[in-house]
Amino acid sequence: MKRFLLLLILIFATWSLSAQSVGLVLSGGGAKGIAHIGVIRVLEENNIPIDYISGTSIGAIVGGLYAAGYTPDEMEELFRSDDFYFWSTGRIQEEYRYYFNQPEQDPSWIELRVEKQEDKLKLLPPTSIIPEKQMDFAFMELLASTNAACKNNFDSLMIPFFCIATDVYNNKPVVLRKGDLGEAIRASMTVPLYFKPIKINDTLLFDGGIVNNFPHDFMQKFHEPDIIIGHKVADDSKAPESDNVVAQIANMVMRPTNYKIPEEKGMLMETKFENVGLLDFQKFELINQMGTETAEQFIDSIKQRIERRVSPTELKRKRQEFNLQKPDLYFQNIQVEGVEDPMQRKFIIQSIKHRYNVVSLSSLKKEYFKLIADDHLRSIRPIAHYNRATGYFDLHLKVVPEKKFRVNIGGNISTKPINQGFASIDYRTYQGRAYTLSSNIYFGRFYSSFKVGGRIDFPTSLPFYLSGYSTLNRWDFFSSSSEPFFEDVRPPYIIQNDYNFRTEAGIPLGLHSKLYGNVIFANSDDEYYQTEKFRKEDEPDKTKFTAFVSRLGIENNSLNYKQFATEGEFNCISLNYITGKETHEPGTTSSTSISKEQNHRYFLGKASSLKYWDIGSKFTVGTQAEAVFSNKNHFQNYRSTLLAAPGYYPTPNSKTMFIENFHANNYLAGGLKLLWHFTSSLHLRVEGHGFVPLKEEQKNDDLTAFNNSKIFNRYYLQGMAAMVYHTGLGPISLSFNYYEKPNTKFYLSLNFGYTIFNKRGI
C-alpha cells in the first residue's frame, strides 16, 4: 500500500512539473528593449516554454510580435530593416515620397496650428516630435492578418498576450487584451512628446510605462502562471540634474515601477546599458548581444526552476498552425471617418480604389502615402477589419483634417552676416476641391522677402493644380570679409530687388515627378558698382529688367531633406521664352553717363540633376550636374550681364554670395559629393564642384561685356567640407568653403537652419 501511495505521489509530482506554465514579462525602455529578442532566442534554443507573454512599450512591441507568430530571426530582420528605421523616425521611404502635393520649399523649423477656442485664437504647438503616419500604417501592415487569425482576442494568439497603456485623463493603467493588436501595441509604446497619443474606445492612451513599466502583477492576476520570467531593460529613476528639463518632466510624469518578482513566483533578469538612448535603434547589434548574454547567464537557473520543455518541432508546428490562419491582405470596402465634406470623402476612397473592386497591400501603401502628403489632411490612421463573408479586409480610415490656419516659424542662424528670420501663415479649406491661401515673410540683413498667393488642387481622375503667387525679394550682397566670425561693416556692393507674379499649372507624372507650366511677370532692379573699390559717397549703377516669361518644365524629386540631403534624387529640365526691356542708369563708377534702353528676346534651356548612391552602410556618393544654354544677348555692361545671367549654387553657403566666376549665359557645371555617416542624423560631407562657361563673358576696357572666342577656355572650382547634424527642427552645420575667385577664397561658418529663398521671377 505504501509503495502504491509513493507511486501516486511520484506520478502527481511528475505531472505537476510537466504542466508548469510560464509567463514572460518584458519591460519598457526604448531601444534597449531590442535585448528582449536575444532573451527570447535563448529561451527557445533551450526549449523553455513561453505560455503567456506581456509587455509595456518596447516590451509590448517585441512581446506582441512574438505572440503573433514572428520568430526571433524575423523580429531581428524587422528591427534591422530600413522599413523599421523609417516608421520609428516618421520619415518616408524614397519610393513613397509623393512630390506633386508638396508645397514650395521654405526654411521653416516648426509648424504651429491655429484653433479658435472660446472666441479666441490660440496657437497649438506640435503634439509630437516624430510623425505618426508611417508608424500607423506599419502596425496595420504587420498585424492586420494576425487580428483576423485570433479574431481580435489576444488570448487566441499563438501565445496569449496583453500589454499596458496609460489612460491620459485618469492617469491609470489600461490593460489591452482584445481589439486591434496593432493599435494596442501602438498605444503602449506612445512615449509622450515623441509620439502622438491615440484613442481606443474613446479613451486617449499614452505609453504604459508612465504607470506600469513591468506588468508582472497583471500577469499573475490574469494568467496565474507557475513561473514568471521577467526581463528588465529600463533604467531606475534617478534624481535629475538641474539643467536636464526632459529628465525632470519624466520624473514628474512617470510613476515608480515595482520590478521585483517574489522568489516563489519566478525570477527577474536585468540587462544594464550605458550610452544607449531612447531611440538608439542603430545600436541593434550591441543591444541584442547584451540581451543574449544576460539570458545565457540565467539559463541554468531557469532550467532548474522549469523542468518542462517544448521541442523545436512542437514550437514550429504551433507557429505554422497559427500563421496558416492569417489571410492575405487584400482590401475591398473602404470607410472614411472624420471628414465632413462628402466630396472629399469620395475623393479619398477613389484615390485608393480607383476603378478596382479589390486593392492589394502594395497598391494601398502607394496611395496611402500620396494621401498623407496632402496638406489638408493632418493624419490618416488605417484600421483593417477582416470580413469573413467576403474573404477580404474592410479598410477603416480615421482621418483628422488639418486645422484651417497654420503658422510656420524658421530661418537661419549663422556666424556670418546672413542671419534671417522666417514666418508664414496658411489658410486651407476644402469645398469640392482643395484651396490653400498662403503668405510668408523673410527678414534679415542679407535677404528679405514677402510672398502672398494661393493654390487650388482639383481631385479629378488626373489631378492638377492652379496656383498664383506675388513675391518681392531683396538681396544685399556685402563685400567679402576675411574674418570668419565677424560681420563686415562696409556697405553692400550689390543690391538685387526682384518682384514677380507667377501663375502655374501642373499635373503629376508618377510618384516623384510633375509636369508644369508658368506664365510670369518679372521686374528685377539691380544696384551695383562696376569696380570692386568704391567710396561711400559713390552712386551705384542701376539696371532694371521688366520681362514676361513663359516656361514649361518637368521636375522629379525624391530627396529626403530639403537641405543637405543624404538620399534620393532631384532632376529638372525647363525651357523658357523671355521677352523684356532693359533700362540702365549709370552711376559714378560707370564708364558712361548716358542712360540706355534695350529690348531682349531669347530662349533659355536649363537641365540639372542630383543623385545619391549608398556605398555600404556608412558611405554615400552623390553626383550633381547642371547645364544652361541660351541665345541671350549681353546687357549694357559686364556686371549687369553677369547679374542677369544664371549661376551655379551647389552648396548652401554659395547661395549667399555673388561670384562672377560662377555666372554665365551658357555653361556646364557639376560636382561630386562624398558622405560619411556616423549615425542616421550625423554625417561628414565633402564636396567638389567645377564650373565651365561655354564662351566665357569677359570685361572690355570700357566695362562692357564680350564673349571669349574659345569654347570651354577656362574652368572654376569650389568646394565644401561640412559636419552636418539633422535635428527635428533643421540642420546644424559647421562648414568650410572654398571658391576660386579674387580676394578671399576661404570661408568658415556655423549655421542652424536653412538657406532657402522665395523663387525669383527669372
Coordinates of all heavy atoms in Angstrom, one line a residue, residues 42 269-271 289-302:
V42 N 17.3 32.8 -26.6 CA 18.0 31.9 -25.7 C 17.0 30.9 -25.1 O 17.2 29.7 -24.9 CB 18.8 32.6 -24.6 CG1 19.3 31.7 -23.6 CG2 19.9 33.4 -25.3
M269 N 15.5 38.9 -14.7 CA 16.7 39.1 -15.4 C 16.8 40.6 -15.7 O 15.8 41.3 -16.0 CB 16.8 38.4 -16.7 CG 16.8 36.9 -16.5 SD 17.0 36.0 -18.1 CE 15.3 36.2 -18.8
E270 N 18.0 41.2 -15.6 CA 18.2 42.6 -15.9 C 19.4 42.8 -16.8 O 20.5 42.3 -16.5 CB 18.3 43.4 -14.6 CG 18.5 44.9 -14.9 CD 18.5 45.7 -13.6 OE1 18.5 45.1 -12.5 OE2 18.5 47.0 -13.7
T271 N 19.2 43.6 -17.8 CA 20.3 44.0 -18.7 C 20.5 45.5 -18.6 O 19.6 46.3 -18.8 CB 20.0 43.7 -20.2 OG1 19.7 42.3 -20.3 CG2 21.2 44.0 -21.1
Q289 N 23.0 41.6 -28.5 CA 24.1 40.8 -27.9 C 24.1 40.8 -26.4 O 24.2 39.8 -25.7 CB 25.5 41.2 -28.4 CG 26.6 40.3 -27.9 CD 26.5 38.8 -28.3 OE1 25.9 38.5 -29.3 NE2 26.9 38.0 -27.4
M290 N 23.8 42.0 -25.8 CA 23.8 42.1 -24.4 C 22.6 41.4 -23.8 O 22.7 40.8 -22.7 CB 23.8 43.6 -24.0 CG 25.1 44.3 -24.3 SD 25.2 46.0 -23.7 CE 25.2 45.8 -21.9
G291 N 21.5 41.4 -24.5 CA 20.3 40.7 -24.0 C 20.6 39.2 -24.1 O 20.2 38.4 -23.1
T292 N 21.2 38.7 -25.1 CA 21.6 37.3 -25.2 C 22.5 36.9 -24.1 O 22.3 35.8 -23.5 CB 22.3 37.0 -26.6 OG1 21.4 37.4 -27.7 CG2 22.6 35.6 -26.7
E293 N 23.5 37.7 -23.8 CA 24.4 37.4 -22.7 C 23.7 37.3 -21.4 O 24.0 36.4 -20.5 CB 25.6 38.4 -22.7 CG 26.5 38.3 -23.9 CD 27.5 39.4 -23.9 OE1 27.5 40.3 -23.0 OE2 28.3 39.4 -24.9
T294 N 22.8 38.2 -21.1 CA 22.0 38.2 -19.9 C 21.3 36.9 -19.7 O 21.3 36.2 -18.7 CB 21.0 39.4 -19.8 OG1 21.8 40.6 -19.8 CG2 20.2 39.3 -18.6
A295 N 20.6 36.4 -20.8 CA 19.8 35.2 -20.7 C 20.7 34.0 -20.5 O 20.3 33.1 -19.8 CB 19.0 35.1 -22.0
E296 N 21.8 34.0 -21.2 CA 22.8 32.9 -21.0 C 23.3 32.8 -19.6 O 23.5 31.7 -19.1 CB 23.9 33.0 -22.0 CG 23.5 32.8 -23.5 CD 24.6 33.1 -24.5 OE1 25.6 33.7 -24.1 OE2 24.5 32.6 -25.6
Q297 N 23.4 33.9 -18.9 CA 23.9 33.9 -17.5 C 22.8 33.3 -16.6 O 23.1 32.7 -15.6 CB 24.2 35.3 -17.1 CG 25.5 35.9 -17.7 CD 25.6 37.3 -17.4 OE1 24.9 37.9 -16.6 NE2 26.6 38.0 -18.1
F298 N 21.6 33.4 -17.0 CA 20.5 32.9 -16.1 C 19.9 31.6 -16.6 O 19.1 31.0 -15.8 CB 19.3 34.0 -16.2 CG 19.5 35.1 -15.2 CD1 20.3 36.2 -15.6 CD2 18.9 35.1 -14.0 CE1 20.4 37.3 -14.8 CE2 19.1 36.2 -13.1 CZ 19.9 37.3 -13.5
I299 N 20.3 31.1 -17.7 CA 19.6 29.9 -18.3 C 19.7 28.7 -17.4 O 18.8 27.9 -17.3 CB 20.1 29.6 -19.7 CG1 19.2 28.6 -20.4 CG2 21.6 29.1 -19.7 CD1 17.8 29.2 -20.6
D300 N 20.8 28.5 -16.7 CA 20.9 27.3 -15.8 C 19.9 27.4 -14.7 O 19.3 26.4 -14.3 CB 22.4 27.1 -15.3 CG 23.4 26.7 -16.4 OD1 22.9 26.2 -17.4 OD2 24.6 27.0 -16.2
S301 N 19.8 28.6 -14.1 CA 18.8 28.8 -13.0 C 17.4 28.6 -13.5 O 16.6 28.0 -12.8 CB 19.0 30.2 -12.4 OG 20.3 30.4 -11.9
I302 N 17.2 29.0 -14.8 CA 15.8 28.9 -15.3 C 15.5 27.4 -15.5 O 14.4 26.9 -15.2 CB 15.7 29.7 -16.7 CG1 15.8 31.2 -16.4 CG2 14.5 29.3 -17.4 CD1 15.9 32.0 -17.7

